[in-house]
Amino acid sequence: MKKVLGILFVLAISISALLLGGCGAPKKELNVYNWGDYIDESVLRDFEKKYQIKVNYDTFTTNEDMYVKIKAGGSHYDVLVPSDYMIKRMIDEGMLEKLDFAKIPNYRYIGAAFKNLGYDPRNEYSIPYMWGTVGILYNKTMVTGQPDSWKILWDKKYAKQILMLDSQRDSIGITLKMLGYSLNSKDPAELEQAKKALIEQKPLVLAYVVDEVKDKMISGEAALAVVWSGDAVYCQRENNDLGYFIPKEGSNLWFDALVIPKGSQHKKEAELFLNYLCETGIAYRNADYIGYASPHTGAVKKLPRDLTSDRSFYPLPEDLKNSEVFVDLGSRMKDFDRIWTEVKSQ
Amino acid sequence: MKKTWPAYPYIFWMVIFTVVPLSLLLYFSLTTRTAAGATTFSWEHFGRFFEPIYLKVLFRSLLLAGISTLFCLVLGYPAAFILADRKLNHKNTLVLLMVLPMWMNFLLRTYAWLTLLERKGLINTLLGHIGLPPLNLLYNDFAVTLGMVYNFLPFMVLPIYSVLSKIDHSLIEAAEDLGADPTYTFRKVVFPLSLPGVVSGITMVFMPAVTTFVISRLLGGGQYTLIGNLIEQQFLTVGDWNFGSAISVVMMLIILVGMGFTSRYEKGQEGGGLW
């Protein structure tokens, strides 16, 4: 009896090994957690084929969603794509693994302007993936003249034709900018002024939206919308009447970067993957698909000239002199939340 | 009552998925983290909830949910009454048609309303064809209430229908024999007997309506912070789990009070609700 059981056991093991592992050797895996619609999916499949590594790919909608999930533990991701302020916070909380750049030689293609940035001053933890700004997308057939300021969002002429971002940090940030302050302001008086301005603006706002903004602007539902630069590229491809600009008061300059969380089970595969994403051809395919600005010098060269020479999407340093990168607010996020709740409950 | 073994998996399930999360919620709502990092007992989150700005949000949620429930009742009762009519043909098909939309994804159906109500949407396009000016249908109280009534109506119709169709018909015949006209019969016999269904319909519509956050975001254009949005914000954007838990606990208390009220009506009655 024991013998029969033993044979059955061995049989069961070999069958499951065959089913799971293909040819018996344990197949390598990689768990990636990225923003929704933020990679050319064929790139993932090519990576799987080239290195025989299975990629498990999940997506998130906000930095905070991602942070909560990683912080709570129990998830086994090997590669994450947080934004600047969130990277800083995760570094400070010891949640990220230092990268071994000897294993990521393609890092040399990343432009010098994207190294030693505030959130990772010694370039130890992150590799920039995409960058961009926040600006105004407007419909040329509905807006008169050439707008250049955040103030147009407070223009009564466009009542009920304005779409705001349903994001506390961004909406309060651009209001602070409109008033001439820093978008990381701590000053209660400045924040109070921003709150008043947002309350004053509320009757003019058609809706506070996030992802729906693209459909609405393309179909001409609204005249003006606050959008991230990559969304603007997408909308302009679909509707020629749309224009995009970074207001002269300055804006939010942001970076999303690739990192490896502490406790990653597949660090070697993760570094291989990061290096792969930094290959010129791959970086180009992603940049072309996503539409945001790429920090990869090789990819930028391959992209169409009319895109990379457009200062709205690839702004020059002087276009960004008033712009700032978000700083992690920590417990002050509560003040922002309070302002936002007061605005929304009007 | 003696417990029997089939109940154990259920008890296990309850402990893991109900008791533990509820205890955590209660724990978070009653503690706070000091600057030194220690966790101490505190009522401050509940105190904060009773500040005017949050009470305003609560009041608006209750009001919108109340209005939606009222509309559901006004529309749902006659519908249930018609469905429960004994002379009705194809009754099962009609009930099925009532339930059918619930099988489709809730988000999808709400998005469909966007397409209908938009400025360049279906309704306004039709209005444009017959030479009428476009209407502002989206992003206001009307759209939010419409979305709620649309989504929650079946929850009102079904309990009322199930009670009405179980009413002993001989009672109605007796009333008619004693000379009551149909209106009088309805007022004195049918309606009082259907009350358990009405009460459970009201609960089943009101509770999800108070805490919905998807409808207010999509159809209200994010201009309507309701209590559900507030809770979501605390957990996902601000990371203030303590305050988020406190709001959830308050909402649960409100719901418990509502349930207590309902169960008083349903005592001794049969099959009023769906639970």
Side-chain angles (χ1 to χ4, degrees), chain B residues 213-247:
Chain B
F213 60 94
V214 179
I215 297 175
S216 51
R217 172 174 311 155
L218 288 180
L219 297 176
Q223 302 183 55
Y224 296 82
T225 292
L226 299 186
I227 213 81
N229 303 94
L230 206 59
I231 296 174
E232 194 212 3
Q233 246 175 56
Q234 299 310 315
F235 279 94
L236 293 181
T237 322
V238 194
D240 189 349
W241 290 26
N242 305 93
F243 186 46
S245 303
I247 309 174

Side-chain angles (χ1 to χ4, degrees), chain A residues 67 71 84-97 118-122 124-125 262 327-330:
Chain A
Y67 171 83
K71 189 79 179 173
D84 36 59
Y85 69 98
M86 190 52 79
I87 295 174
K88 175 82 169 52
R89 179 169 171 187
M90 293 175 93
I91 292 174
D92 291 347
E93 295 183 19
M95 292 167 70
L96 300 184
E97 199 82 61
Y119 58 87
D120 184 9
R122 272 171 297 166
E124 292 169 308
Y125 298 94
K262 267 251 158 70
V327 170
D328 179 32
L329 290 174

Side-chain angles (χ1 to χ4, degrees), chain A residues 64-65 68 160-161 168 202 205-208 212 216 219-221 334 337-338 341-342 344-346, chain B residues 51 53-54 56-57 60 118-120 139 218 221-223 225 230 233-234 236-238 240-241:
Chain A
E64 285 71 20
D65 282 351
V68 167
K160 291 288 166 203
Q161 298 185 48
Q168 333 186 326
K202 200 183 174 204
V205 174
L206 176 65
Y208 297 87
E212 305 98 289
K216 303 258 163 211
S219 67
E221 281 287 310
K334 283 186 197 177
D337 181 57
R338 199 187 176 86
T341 309
E342 281 193 48
K344 291 283 212 77
S345 63
Q346 285 302 309
Chain B
E51 285 173 25
I53 95 165
Y54 299 114
K56 202 169 161 188
V57 173
R60 169 176 269 175
E118 275 174 347
R119 199 172 289 166
K120 299 203 169 165
Y139 305 132
L218 288 180
Q223 302 183 55
T225 292
L230 206 59
Q233 246 175 56
Q234 299 310 315
L236 293 181
T237 322
V238 194
D240 189 349
W241 290 26

